[in-house]
């Protein structure tokens, strides 16, 4: 009887040690996963976008977009990158995935109603989306570079984002809002950063053009 009790106690001790070891192993795995996808300072990209647009606003386009950070957009970006990977030149694939998850039906930036060369405009809202990618930078430098790339997209379309457009008889006015999100991944041991920027252009009901 005493022998059975001793064996039972010994077995209980072995099981307890095994459980502790298992818990320790799980904690270690969780830490590794967290290091692979480091959190990104979501205020960095917004501030850098403001600065990048100021640098170009004087001679590139009339309107600046007030971007806000969108957590739902970040989730969609993260899910899409995890499914498709972070390889080079996959920005269009990532954008399509984000569009599907967010329910966007985007137009090209050049086709936003605010573009100077747009004719036959109607009142309403149109959305344009761009995905930018950089690699091998620190987080701070990556945010700055991504913001520059997004600002270049905005300023290169139709002479920039216009605040108004005159036809022969009507005047159209435009306003813009923007959402942005970033996600950090890793490809072949190199840090990769993605940013998705969404610009909404609202075209107001036109008014009769005032002539001098």
């Amino acid at each position: 009887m005493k022998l059975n009790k001793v064996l039972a106690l010994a077995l209980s001790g072995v099981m307890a040690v095994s459980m502790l070891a298992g818990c320790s192993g799980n904690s270690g795995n969780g830490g590794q996963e967290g290091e692979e996808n480091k959190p990104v300072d979501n205020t960095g990209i917004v501030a850098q976008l403001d600065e990048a647009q100021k640098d170009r606003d004087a001679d590139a386009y009339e309107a600046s977009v007030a971007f806000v950070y969108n957590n739902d957009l970040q989730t969609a970006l993260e899910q899409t990158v995890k499914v498709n990977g972070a390889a080079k030149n996959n920005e269009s694939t990532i954008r399509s995935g984000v569009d599907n998850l967010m329910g966007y039906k985007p137009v090209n930036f050049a086709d936003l109603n605010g573009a100077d060369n747009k004719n036959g405009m109607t009142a309403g809202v149109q959305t344009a989306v761009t995905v930018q990618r950089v690699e091998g930078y620190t987080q701070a430098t990556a945010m700055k570079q991504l913001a520059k790339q997004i600002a270049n997209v905005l300023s290169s379309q139709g002479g920039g984002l216009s605040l108004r457009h005159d036809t022969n008889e009507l005047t159209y006015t435009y306003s813009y809002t923007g959402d942005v999100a970033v996600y950090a991944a890793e490809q072949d041991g190199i840090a990769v950063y993605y940013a998705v920027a969404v610009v909404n252009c609202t075209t107001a009901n036109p008014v009769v053009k005032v002539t001098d």
Side-chain angles (χ1 to χ4, degrees):
M1 183 67 68
K2 290 183 178 180
L3 180 59
N4 290 337
K5 288 183 178 180
V6 171
L7 290 174
L9 289 172
L11 181 59
S12 298
V14 171
M15 292 177 63
V17 171
S18 298
M19 291 176 65
L20 288 173
C23 292
S24 175
N26 290 337
S27 176
N29 290 337
Q32 290 176 357
E33 291 177 0
E35 290 173 0
E36 290 176 1
N37 299 314
K38 295 180 180 179
V40 177
D41 178 9
N42 59 22
T43 62
I45 189 65
V46 172
Q48 290 295 341
L49 274 170
D50 288 344
E51 289 301 316
Q53 290 184 95
K54 288 177 183 177
D55 290 342
R56 295 178 173 274
D57 194 35
D59 57 2
Y61 53 89
E62 297 176 78
S64 291
V65 180
F67 283 94
V68 296
Y69 200 87
N70 188 316
N71 290 315
D72 291 335
L73 187 59
Q74 177 184 316
T75 298
L77 177 60
E78 178 179 351
Q79 291 177 356
T80 304
V81 172
K82 285 183 175 179
V83 169
N84 294 279
K88 290 182 179 180
N89 303 316
N90 72 341
E91 290 92 328
S92 61
T93 299
I94 300 301
R95 199 200 78 173
S96 294
V98 170
D99 289 345
N100 290 334
L101 289 174
M102 296 296 293
Y104 296 140
K105 295 181 179 179
V107 299
N108 294 326
F109 275 89
D111 294 328
L112 280 175
N113 279 349
D116 286 334
N117 61 356
K118 180 72 176 178
N119 295 312
M121 294 165 283
T122 57
V125 179
Q126 288 184 304
T127 299
V129 181
T130 182
V131 170
Q132 300 295 320
R133 176 190 184 279
V134 297
E135 66 175 44
Y137 293 110
T138 64
Q139 179 174 308
T141 304
M143 296 304 101
K144 188 173 184 178
Q145 182 62 32
L146 288 168
K148 285 183 178 179
Q149 292 176 195
I150 292 169
N152 286 338
V153 172
L154 301 184
S155 64
S156 64
Q157 306 304 322
L161 302 179
S162 301
L163 292 172
R164 62 178 286 169
H165 178 78
D166 293 319
T167 66
N168 289 335
E169 299 178 348
L170 300 174
T171 294
Y172 292 85
T173 57
Y174 316 105
S175 59
Y176 303 89
T177 60
D179 292 312
V180 66
V182 292
Y183 177 66
E186 187 175 292
Q187 180 72 17
D188 298 328
I190 300 174
V192 177
Y193 293 87
Y194 285 91
V196 54
V198 181
V199 176
N200 300 302
C201 172
T202 300
T203 302
N205 289 318
V207 297
V208 176
K209 181 179 178 181
V210 177
T211 57
D212 296 332

